[in-house]
Amino acid sequence: MHTRRTHRSTRPRARTAAVLLAASLLATACSAGGAATSAGPQAPRAAGATEASTATLAALPEATPSELTRYYGQKPGWRDCGAPGFQCATVKAPLDYAEPSRGDIDLAVARKKATGPGKRIGSLLVNPGGPGGSAIGYLQQYAGIGYPAEVRARYDMVAVDPRGVARSEPVECLDGRRMDAYTQTDITPDDARETSELVDAYKEFAEACGAGSPKLLRHVSTVEAARDMDVLRAVLGDEKLNYVGASYGTFLGATYAGLFPDRAGRLVLDGAMDPSLPARRLNLEQTEGFETAFRSFAEDCVRQPDCPLGGKGTGPDQAGRNLKAFFEKLDAQPIPTGDADGRELTESLATTGVIAAMYDEAAWQQLREALTSATKENDGAGLLMLSDSYYEREAGGRYSNLMSANAAVNCLDLPPAFTTPDQVRDALPAFEKASPVFGEGLAWSSLNCAYWPVRHTGEPHRIEAAGAGPIVVVGTTRDPATPYRWAQSLAGQLSSARLLTYEGDGHTAYGRGSACVDSAINAYLLRGTPPEDGKRCS
């Protein structure tokens, strides 16, 4: 699963996504890096199992193991890193927490010191999600300059790119040219040949990741990233970790709380995931979330004079059929985009572009214009631009490592949703019922981890974090990527959770314009006063 910007706007939007062709959506971990679950012996789980887990993430011992003291005792060498007001450093962590002698991994860290006035509270670690989103990029482009002034006044704003991501020894897979081909692969195969081509694309991607990052690929789990965060907490000199995480960042933050409940400070988990669900159910429920978001978009679209999916009186079902028909036309005949590299708008790229705009209602006008150009003028440039922003593809054809890291973490964190094309075909009716528009493509996109070169180390599990202080879990009622029910579920698992609900559209809630949400979270971060459990905002 995957978080980042959906479009160029005044503020980067953290987001989680059903990354077409690249992720077994929203995967979670529990056992990698020495963590364990506690629920008695567990029977082997069938691939694609759909029931929620009853196993619980067990806390690690409070005492720091002697073999890790050299990591916890590091003194970071802060230096200027090119962004005014920000400092950068490198922190070392063990590649393998079970065997620290096997070598180190370098983690890139950035901070912006508290500006004052007011007494400094400590460090506030931020993570935009993904997995695969650059936390340092998020800090420098938004959180360090766009979080409320009173929060930035009292906290050192800090980010670490998780292991395998961006500046922290990134997982490397396909080059730009091969990534272009990968993102254009047909994700709704019509026959055996197209199915074979899709499987071959997944295999090529997996093999490239295995060849490019053979050792690292076994050690990029969420549990290991959470343990890295505890090393960073100690290096920063903080007794407890204060943290704001969005979408996948909520799973990372909840995992930290589960492993180190006594060190969990003020934690905000915005756009929450449910770690107890297996991959297939996560994917199916996220598919429902995108359908919910699309219906909201469609209802707004048909009220506008420039809606290409229908006019006033057109219902969401018909608007969806119209969009699906457009996708099917592209499947048969892609359209020009004017792209310098000669790319046409395929069904897969168009679908990605539409999904990208589901994360923030501020992108709906851009999507209407892009769909109008594509459907009425045979110009796919607008949808291609949305798709490129989703994949973090630059104009020169270079991709960030977002897609590589996304798959690497997801495929390690959970057993694959599907292991064969036949399993996908059997599940298609359920996915197409969940979303007539996106269901088929999202079902097939869930097959990629079947061919991953490294066996998963995680399983679904509950996180209770018994003994932690109040943790604020935030859910948005029409969130496309992390359905509201996941926030309800996570809040029900965490022993000290306070559920804060935003009644609205889009992915995540903090900083989206709701004074109610922002004031509740600010009060918690600044004064340690959590909102009343069940508080609702609009």
Side-chain angles (χ1 to χ4, degrees):
M1 143 141 112
H2 164 86
T3 39
R4 14 167 311 284
R5 282 185 290 190
T6 62
H7 59 99
R8 304 298 176 187
S9 66
T10 57
R11 180 167 64 86
R13 292 294 309 145
R15 68 186 185 82
T16 306
V19 179
L20 305 178
L21 292 172
S24 113
L25 313 178
L26 297 169
T28 57
C30 67
S31 62
T37 57
S38 57
Q42 297 294 305
R45 295 181 62 80
T50 58
E51 71 278 7
S53 176
T54 58
T56 301
L57 183 68
L60 291 169
E62 291 188 22
T64 300
S66 59
E67 61 269 25
L68 298 181
T69 54
R70 69 183 181 94
Y71 298 103
Y72 277 76
Q74 296 174 82
K75 302 297 182 184
W78 294 105
R79 62 188 184 278
D80 178 76
C81 51
F86 292 90
Q87 297 174 307
C88 292
T90 300
V91 172
K92 291 188 178 296
L95 174 68
D96 184 351
Y97 278 92
E99 297 184 49
S101 62
R102 294 184 60 191
D104 299 339
I105 186 170
D106 289 336
L107 302 174
V109 183
R111 74 174 181 183
K112 187 176 186 183
K113 298 188 73 172
T115 60
K119 183 179 179 181
R120 177 183 175 277
I121 296 172
S123 304
L124 181 63
L125 192 66
V126 296
N127 183 281
S134 172
I136 292 178
Y138 177 73
L139 175 74
Q140 294 179 341
Q141 296 171 31
Y142 171 56
I145 56 177
Y147 265 37
E150 58 266 40
V151 173
R152 292 182 284 115
R154 304 282 304 282
Y155 282 100
D156 291 347
M157 302 294 295
V158 180
V160 55
D161 280 346
R163 51 175 61 207
V165 174
R167 300 166 177 84
S168 293
E169 300 197 16
V171 172
E172 300 290 354
C173 300
L174 301 176
D175 62 22
R177 180 184 58 81
R178 294 166 73 195
M179 271 299 295
D180 277 348
Y182 185 64
T183 60
Q184 295 174 71
T185 305
D186 188 349
I187 54 169
T188 56
D190 299 318
D191 52 34
R193 179 185 60 81
E194 291 185 352
T195 300
S196 179
E197 290 174 351
L198 180 58
V199 168
D200 287 346
Y202 287 143
K203 288 180 177 178
E204 179 187 11
F205 186 89
E207 290 168 0
C209 293
S213 306
K215 292 183 180 179
L216 182 61
L217 217 58
R218 292 175 169 81
H219 296 288
V220 292
S221 70
T222 297
V223 162
E224 289 164 309
R227 297 192 69 170
D228 293 342
M229 284 164 48
D230 195 55
V231 170
L232 179 60
R233 173 202 58 77
V235 168
L236 293 171
D238 292 326
E239 291 186 6
K240 295 194 174 186
L241 182 83
N242 301 310
Y243 175 85
V244 177
S247 61
Y248 165 79
T250 68
F251 174 48
L252 184 58
T255 299
Y256 180 89
L259 295 175
F260 306 103
D262 58 312
R263 301 172 194 168
R266 300 172 188 179
L267 270 58
V268 177
L269 309 179
D270 185 10
M273 288 179 53
D274 182 354
S276 72
L277 299 181
R280 188 182 301 185
R281 184 164 161 189
L282 282 167
N283 294 0
L284 184 62
E285 292 189 5
Q286 193 181 56
T287 299
E288 293 175 350
F290 280 108
E291 181 67 18
T292 297
F294 171 74
R295 293 179 73 86
S296 290
F297 163 74
E299 289 172 356
D300 177 79
C301 182
V302 298
R303 292 195 293 265
Q304 311 301 325
D306 61 343
C307 180
L309 301 180
K312 290 183 179 180
T314 302
D317 291 340
Q318 183 58 53
R321 287 191 289 270
N322 294 340
L323 180 58
K324 183 67 173 177
F326 168 63
F327 288 158
E328 290 171 351
K329 287 183 179 179
L330 291 177
D331 189 25
Q333 182 60 58
I335 64 175
T337 63
D339 177 58
D341 296 309
R343 291 177 300 157
E344 294 182 308
L345 184 70
T346 62
E347 178 190 21
S348 57
L349 291 174
T351 302
T352 303
V354 173
I355 281 179
M358 292 297 100
Y359 287 87
D360 191 341
E361 63 270 29
W364 288 359
Q365 178 179 347
Q366 183 181 0
L367 177 59
R368 287 199 314 273
E369 294 171 353
L371 283 171
T372 297
S373 295
T375 57
K376 300 185 182 304
E377 301 168 15
N378 208 44
D379 179 2
L383 285 172
L384 182 64
M385 182 182 299
L386 282 166
S387 178
D388 283 351
S389 71
Y390 185 100
Y391 287 126
E392 291 192 353
R393 182 191 191 272
E394 298 176 359
R398 182 183 179 277
Y399 289 77
S400 75
N401 94 308
L402 172 70
M403 308 302 292
S404 301
N406 185 276
V409 176
N410 282 337
C411 295
L412 197 61
D413 272 357
L414 275 186
F418 302 108
T419 57
T420 68
D422 285 342
Q423 289 182 350
V424 178
R425 292 189 189 96
D426 289 344
L428 280 176
F431 275 77
E432 291 179 314
K433 180 180 179 181
S435 175
V437 178
F438 306 116
E440 183 182 7
L442 295 184
W444 282 106
S445 73
S446 306
L447 181 62
N448 73 308
C449 286
Y451 310 103
W452 204 243
V454 175
R455 179 175 170 79
H456 66 89
T457 56
E459 295 281 349
H461 58 275
R462 293 170 54 84
I463 300 178
E464 296 179 358
I471 298 173
V472 177
V473 176
V474 188
T476 298
T477 55
R478 293 186 294 278
D479 191 311
T482 52
Y484 178 62
R485 71 179 73 171
W486 292 356
Q488 293 174 303
S489 179
L490 181 61
Q493 295 170 41
L494 292 168
S495 61
S496 59
R498 305 291 179 89
L499 177 62
L500 175 63
T501 298
Y502 173 55
E503 297 177 348
D505 296 293
H507 183 43
T508 73
Y510 187 40
R512 289 186 57 84
S514 170
C516 174
V517 168
D518 292 354
S519 62
I521 292 176
N522 292 343
Y524 172 62
L525 292 176
L526 295 171
R527 296 187 291 278
T529 305
E532 179 183 355
D533 187 33
K535 180 178 178 64
R536 302 183 76 88
C537 296
S538 59

